[in-house]
Amino acid sequence: MFGGGGDDALAARLGIVPPSLLNPATPSVISPEISASERVPSQPQWSQQETREFIAIRAELERDFTASKRNKTLWEVVSSKMRERGFRRSPEQCKCKWKNLVNRYKGKETSDPEHGRQCPFFEELHAIFTQRAHNMQRLLLESETRSTQPKKGLKRSSGDRSSEEFSEDDDEVDDSDEERPAKSNSRKRKADKVAVEKSSRANNLSNTVSGVQDMLKEFFQHQLRMEMQWRDMMERRAHERQMFEQEWRQSMEKLERERLMIEQAWREREEQRRIREESRAERRDALLTTLLNKLIHESN
């Protein structure tokens, strides 16, 4: 969409060594004398810390990714920055990892809540895409300012050409009457050519600006739709959580009532048992007292 510089110039602007110096050309045929222990081992899976560092590096270069056509050098820059932080990842691995993260981010934006939980880096990615929208808007404004400058240049060139034509007219006043029709035809052809060039340039500029505006409009509409879907999803999840909490409270209250009823019944049974034991003990004491009195009376 917007022009970018060469690979080495872009790397120099970012303040790092050009990829051509970091990765020198290697021969296409590997020597058979290289042992198996010297080969590069298989890369492990991405850890959360490594993924967060990768997202931070990619966010630093988001403006360059937006403005550049050729992203190969930028992915090499990302790989070199990862190497500086202690993670050995190739540009292809970084590019593949970014595609996977973007797919998971889009899945969280548009899918159900259960599937959305699979993207633990949603906030970081959302910040990057918000920055991308601002960069696109900034580039649109820059393109519009550039489009006004060529128009002024066209006006100046047309003025210069018209002055040149007027000077040619002054020089040709002294010519003969036979040469005047041919020269007037040449001036008309030049004027027609200049008008055609002006119209073609104006059409190209208007088409470019309209194309960028349509793309930005579609991008903002997509962002708005995703935000509306995300809000609906969050509201639905909040409502479901409230319903779940209400059902849980009702079930807990029901269990508490049942526990109180069981405890009350147990206390009543214990009270009845205690009363029965007390009455039994009183009858036993009365019977023993009667037997003792009878024995004492007989002994006397």
Side-chain angles (χ1 to χ4, degrees), residues 186-249:
S186 64
R187 286 197 296 271
K188 289 181 180 179
R189 285 195 297 271
K190 289 181 180 179
D192 294 337
K193 186 177 180 180
V194 171
V196 170
E197 290 179 355
K198 288 182 180 179
S199 62
S200 62
R201 291 177 182 176
N203 291 330
N204 292 332
L205 290 173
S206 62
N207 292 332
T208 303
V209 173
S210 63
V212 173
Q213 290 178 350
D214 294 339
M215 184 175 63
L216 283 176
K217 184 178 180 181
E218 183 179 358
F219 176 77
F220 287 131
Q221 289 178 355
H222 179 66
Q223 289 291 110
L224 182 61
R225 286 196 300 270
M226 289 194 298
E227 186 176 358
M228 293 296 294
Q229 292 176 358
W230 180 77
R231 288 181 180 177
D232 295 339
M233 181 186 68
M234 295 302 294
E235 291 177 358
R236 186 168 60 254
R237 290 180 63 183
H239 180 69
E240 291 176 356
R241 184 173 62 253
Q242 291 178 356
M243 294 296 295
F244 176 76
E245 290 178 355
Q246 185 177 0
E247 292 177 357
W248 179 78
R249 290 194 185 97

Side-chain angles (χ1 to χ4, degrees), residues 24-42:
T26 56
S28 59
V29 180
I30 300 175
S31 175
E33 298 178 356
I34 298 176
S35 61
S37 61
E38 296 178 356
R39 297 177 182 175
V40 178
S42 59

Side-chain angles (χ1 to χ4, degrees), residues 10-277:
L10 180 60
R13 185 169 60 85
L14 294 175
I16 65 169
V17 181
S20 60
L21 298 179
L22 288 175
N23 298 322
T26 56
S28 59
V29 180
I30 300 175
S31 175
E33 298 178 356
I34 298 176
S35 61
S37 61
E38 296 178 356
R39 297 177 182 175
V40 178
S42 59
Q43 294 292 339
Q45 294 183 354
W46 291 71
S47 62
Q48 287 194 356
Q49 181 64 27
E50 184 180 4
T51 305
R52 293 185 187 278
E53 294 290 340
F54 169 68
I55 293 175
I57 293 171
R58 180 59 175 76
E60 293 176 359
L61 300 175
E62 175 59 29
R63 184 172 182 178
D64 297 304
F65 272 96
T66 305
S68 177
K69 286 184 179 181
R70 303 177 63 183
N71 295 334
K72 182 178 179 181
T73 303
L74 293 175
W75 287 119
E76 292 176 353
V77 172
V78 172
S79 177
S80 65
K81 286 182 177 290
M82 290 286 289
R83 193 180 299 108
E84 291 176 0
R85 300 189 184 186
F87 304 105
R88 297 184 62 85
R89 296 292 179 180
S90 64
E92 290 76 12
Q93 290 176 339
C94 295
K95 184 176 181 181
C96 183
K97 181 64 176 178
W98 178 250
K99 287 183 179 179
N100 294 333
L101 289 173
V102 171
N103 291 331
R104 294 178 68 182
Y105 169 79
K106 292 181 179 179
K108 178 175 175 60
E109 285 285 334
T110 57
S111 62
D112 56 353
E114 296 297 330
H115 186 270
R117 295 175 185 173
Q118 298 179 4
C119 184
F121 309 102
F122 176 79
E123 297 297 334
E124 293 85 348
L125 295 172
H126 188 68
I128 292 176
F129 281 100
T130 304
Q131 182 183 1
R132 176 177 295 180
H134 293 313
N135 292 336
M136 295 287 287
Q137 188 175 6
R138 177 183 56 78
L139 291 173
L140 175 61
L141 294 175
E142 291 179 357
S143 66
E144 290 178 352
T145 55
R146 291 196 200 99
S147 64
T148 57
Q149 294 176 356
K151 291 180 180 179
K152 294 180 180 179
L154 288 174
K155 290 180 180 179
R156 294 194 188 96
S157 63
S158 62
D160 296 338
R161 290 179 180 176
S162 61
S163 62
E164 291 177 357
E165 291 172 0
F166 289 144
S167 63
E168 290 177 358
D169 293 339
D170 294 336
D171 294 337
E172 290 173 356
V173 169
D174 298 332
D175 293 340
S176 62
D177 295 335
E178 295 178 356
E179 295 177 353
R180 287 179 182 177
K183 292 183 178 181
S184 62
N185 292 331
S186 64
R187 286 197 296 271
K188 289 181 180 179
R189 285 195 297 271
K190 289 181 180 179
D192 294 337
K193 186 177 180 180
V194 171
V196 170
E197 290 179 355
K198 288 182 180 179
S199 62
S200 62
R201 291 177 182 176
N203 291 330
N204 292 332
L205 290 173
S206 62
N207 292 332
T208 303
V209 173
S210 63
V212 173
Q213 290 178 350
D214 294 339
M215 184 175 63
L216 283 176
K217 184 178 180 181
E218 183 179 358
F219 176 77
F220 287 131
Q221 289 178 355
H222 179 66
Q223 289 291 110
L224 182 61
R225 286 196 300 270
M226 289 194 298
E227 186 176 358
M228 293 296 294
Q229 292 176 358
W230 180 77
R231 288 181 180 177
D232 295 339
M233 181 186 68
M234 295 302 294
E235 291 177 358
R236 186 168 60 254
R237 290 180 63 183
H239 180 69
E240 291 176 356
R241 184 173 62 253
Q242 291 178 356
M243 294 296 295
F244 176 76
E245 290 178 355
Q246 185 177 0
E247 292 177 357
W248 179 78
R249 290 194 185 97
Q250 292 177 357
S251 62
M252 293 302 293
E253 291 175 358
K254 183 178 179 181
L255 290 174
E256 184 66 19
R257 288 194 298 269
E258 292 178 354
R259 188 186 65 80
L260 291 175
M261 292 175 62
I262 293 172
E263 186 177 355
Q264 184 67 25
W266 175 78
R267 288 178 179 177
E268 291 177 356
R269 288 196 300 271
E270 288 294 322
E271 185 67 21
Q272 292 175 2
R273 186 179 61 79
R274 186 181 61 80
I275 293 172
R276 287 196 301 271
E277 288 180 356

